[in-house]
Amino acid sequence: MTETSIQPYGPRTNWVRLQTLVVLRWIAILGQISAIVVAQRLFGLDLNLGLCLLAIGASVAANLLAITVYPRAKRLSEAEVAGMLAFDVLQLALLIFLTGGLNNPFALLIIAPVAIAAMTLNARAATGIALLAVVLATCLLFWHFPLRTLDGAVMQMPQMFAYGFLVAIVIGVLFLSVYASRVTGEMQTLSEALAATQLALSREQKLTDLGGVVAAAAHELGTPLATIKLASSELLEELHDNPLLQDDAILIRDQADRCRDILSSMGRAGKDDLHVHHAPISAVVRESAEPHADRGKKLHYEFDGPDSVDARQPTIDRRPEIIHGLRNLIQNAVDFARANVWIDVSWNDEQLVVRIVDDGPGYSSTAVSQIGEPYMIRRKRDSRLRYEGMGLGMFIAKTLLERTGAELSFSNGREYGAPDNGPGERTGAIADVRWNREAFAGAGGAERAPLGQNRPIRA
């Protein structure tokens, strides 16, 4: 399989629904009103209630305007999200300005819009929101209405604590911005890679179903078509009116009807050929490697089981995940092999192992720990991984094979720094795929059981 064209860290456009930000703003508005009421009633603070309600009213008006002008299901562009978050930062800064500046412990909430920006905006826009929050927090340290009690006393923390609070806000803005952006970026990357994996699996499933349709058609139509051919040949030999030919004519008619019924039952989806559900491990491995057999590298197969009376080759489920996953691993080996790729299959009563080895340069020391991660950005510096793509093929292979119960491990055929003996030696990369035999217990029983009638494929 070639590398998927999905690019990592694409623009995060239309991620956020308007309703989401509106709901969060309503929650903030309720919190702000509750804080003012508690501060006045419970703690006896003398707040400029009119200006505070005016600042809160601006947020209420913005929400009402948003839900009136736009539908609830509207998804916002990055510019629209940035505008709403910038407004929230300014509104919160104004409210804190009216209630003591950084002497107000709720000044810490100015970090909240910054975290949302880091999760939903690109780096440039999120940086702008973070700088806006830092600048406003710095201004609030020096300019603000003092926080007074009803008897006129000014509530103010020591200057050193105020500076410390500002430093804490700045550090919180920086840390949350980087943390939220990295985590969200990794989640987006993983989501895109899983989508590509699902697409690959869906394509492989369709190909498998198509193969089943063709095999079922050839199998089920073979006998009636042969009968029609035989009867037609006999009729052509007679060339005369003969009552005896009536039986042949009836037979032709019956068999033609049978062909019609079979074709009708196949329909648009076809029938599922039970012959392709299970296969010996050698057949599955060779099928997986077949697209890479003529790419200029020699493929060596070795099948080694236990020395016992019943040492038959194990039968496994012929699942698209297995075929596609092994195919990607073999492709990776062929891409970097100098001349040879070895595909070794071994089994015992407990495990089934497929090992893929090449005579290429092997994995670099930094690549081994990253294999199986989507979008290996650092791979451009890697001698083995210097080619188009970002590790998505290996991620897809690992994900698909692990879905079947396999465990994967990657290593090199020689130690780092050891001399390279050139082509023909198993000194390159090694990919081990290991299953417990219990994962294919049903396939072994199906090999000996009667197949039964082919079943229609359900959509």
Side-chain angles (χ1 to χ4, degrees):
M1 173 189 169
T2 57
E3 296 289 343
T4 295
S5 59
I6 296 177
Q7 299 297 322
Y9 304 102
R12 303 175 187 178
T13 56
N14 300 330
W15 272 28
V16 183
R17 290 188 307 163
L18 174 64
Q19 185 181 8
T20 301
L21 292 184
V22 167
V23 170
L24 291 176
R25 187 177 286 169
W26 283 127
I27 295 174
I29 291 170
L30 292 176
Q32 292 168 2
I33 294 175
S34 301
I36 291 176
V37 171
V38 171
Q40 278 196 318
R41 302 284 179 168
L42 187 60
F43 296 102
L45 299 180
D46 185 15
L47 302 177
N48 193 326
L49 189 59
L51 292 178
C52 290
L53 292 180
L54 183 62
I56 297 175
S59 189
V60 173
N63 253 12
L64 293 177
L65 179 64
I67 62 178
T68 301
V69 175
Y70 299 105
R72 296 178 59 185
K74 174 179 173 59
R75 292 192 176 273
L76 302 175
S77 65
E78 281 193 328
E80 292 169 333
V81 173
M84 292 189 69
L85 293 177
F87 173 85
D88 290 337
V89 172
L90 291 169
Q91 187 267 348
L92 184 57
L94 176 60
L95 194 59
I96 294 172
F97 170 79
L98 298 172
T99 55
L102 295 190
N103 296 295
N104 185 343
F106 289 103
L108 185 65
L109 293 177
I110 202 170
I111 296 178
V114 177
I116 297 175
M119 291 186 290
T120 57
L121 302 177
N122 59 32
R124 184 176 180 180
T127 301
I129 298 296
L131 288 177
L132 177 62
V134 170
V135 170
L136 291 176
T138 304
C139 293
L140 290 172
L141 176 63
F142 301 103
W143 298 285
H144 56 267
F145 281 107
L147 194 61
R148 301 179 183 274
T149 62
L150 293 177
D151 57 7
V154 177
M155 300 186 66
Q156 186 173 355
M157 69 175 66
Q159 195 70 11
M160 183 176 294
F161 283 13
Y163 281 109
F165 192 21
L166 175 61
V167 172
I169 290 176
V170 173
I171 293 176
V173 166
L174 295 176
F175 175 78
L176 279 180
S177 297
V178 174
Y179 179 81
S181 179
R182 289 294 299 272
V183 171
T184 306
E186 290 183 5
M187 291 175 61
Q188 180 190 8
T189 298
L190 185 60
S191 177
E192 291 174 346
L194 288 174
T197 302
Q198 192 63 38
L199 179 64
L201 180 59
S202 176
R203 182 172 62 234
E204 192 71 26
Q205 184 66 57
K206 289 180 180 179
L207 293 176
T208 300
D209 290 344
L210 180 61
V213 170
V214 175
H219 175 70
E220 296 198 36
L221 292 179
T223 301
L225 290 177
T227 304
I228 292 174
K229 182 178 180 179
L230 177 61
S232 300
S233 299
E234 292 180 355
L235 289 175
L236 289 175
E237 291 177 359
E238 294 295 335
L239 294 178
H240 298 290
D241 294 337
N242 191 325
L244 296 178
L245 296 181
Q246 293 179 355
D247 294 336
D248 291 337
I250 294 174
L251 180 61
I252 292 174
R253 183 192 63 188
D254 293 341
Q255 295 302 321
D257 290 340
R258 184 181 174 190
C259 290
R260 181 198 61 193
D261 294 338
I262 292 174
L263 290 173
S264 177
S265 67
M266 291 177 68
R268 298 176 60 184
K271 282 193 175 181
D272 187 9
D273 187 4
L274 299 180
H275 285 282
V276 301
H277 277 197
H278 314 287
I281 181 62
S282 61
V284 175
V285 169
R286 291 181 185 275
E287 180 181 357
S288 303
E290 182 180 2
H292 309 293
D294 299 322
R295 293 182 54 197
K297 311 294 173 62
K298 187 173 182 180
L299 302 183
H300 306 268
Y301 298 93
E302 183 175 337
F303 303 95
D304 183 22
D307 296 329
S308 62
V309 176
D310 186 14
R312 293 184 303 172
Q313 194 175 120
T315 298
I316 66 171
D317 298 322
R318 188 184 169 278
R319 297 174 58 179
E321 295 97 324
I322 297 177
I323 295 174
H324 200 89
L326 292 177
R327 183 169 296 167
N328 276 12
L329 295 179
I330 295 170
Q331 173 190 336
N332 189 71
V334 172
D335 285 343
F336 296 101
R338 293 187 175 97
N340 300 275
V341 173
W342 293 268
I343 305 174
D344 302 333
V345 181
S346 60
W347 63 90
N348 54 33
D349 294 337
E350 298 180 354
Q351 289 189 327
L352 171 62
V353 181
V354 177
R355 169 170 289 189
I356 302 169
V357 190
D358 62 65
D359 58 357
Y363 302 115
S364 71
S365 57
T366 58
V368 173
S369 61
Q370 300 181 35
I371 294 174
E373 295 182 6
Y375 306 117
M376 293 168 59
I377 302 302
R378 297 183 181 86
R379 69 188 308 169
K380 293 180 181 179
R381 306 175 185 174
D382 192 326
S383 60
R384 177 177 177 82
L385 301 177
R386 191 178 297 146
Y387 73 105
E388 293 293 330
M390 295 164 289
L392 190 55
M394 294 293 282
F395 169 81
I396 291 175
K398 187 171 184 292
T399 302
L400 293 179
L401 290 171
E402 287 178 347
R403 286 180 58 174
T404 67
E407 295 181 3
L408 278 75
S409 61
F410 303 92
S411 59
N412 283 323
R414 62 186 176 92
E415 298 292 335
Y416 296 115
D420 188 353
N421 297 327
E425 299 290 336
R426 298 182 179 226
T427 55
I430 300 175
D432 277 322
V433 186
R434 191 179 304 270
W435 289 275
N436 287 329
R437 291 289 295 272
E438 296 178 356
F440 305 116
E447 179 188 16
R448 302 176 181 87
L451 292 177
Q453 293 292 325
N454 291 327
R455 298 184 295 268
I457 296 175
R458 304 298 181 186

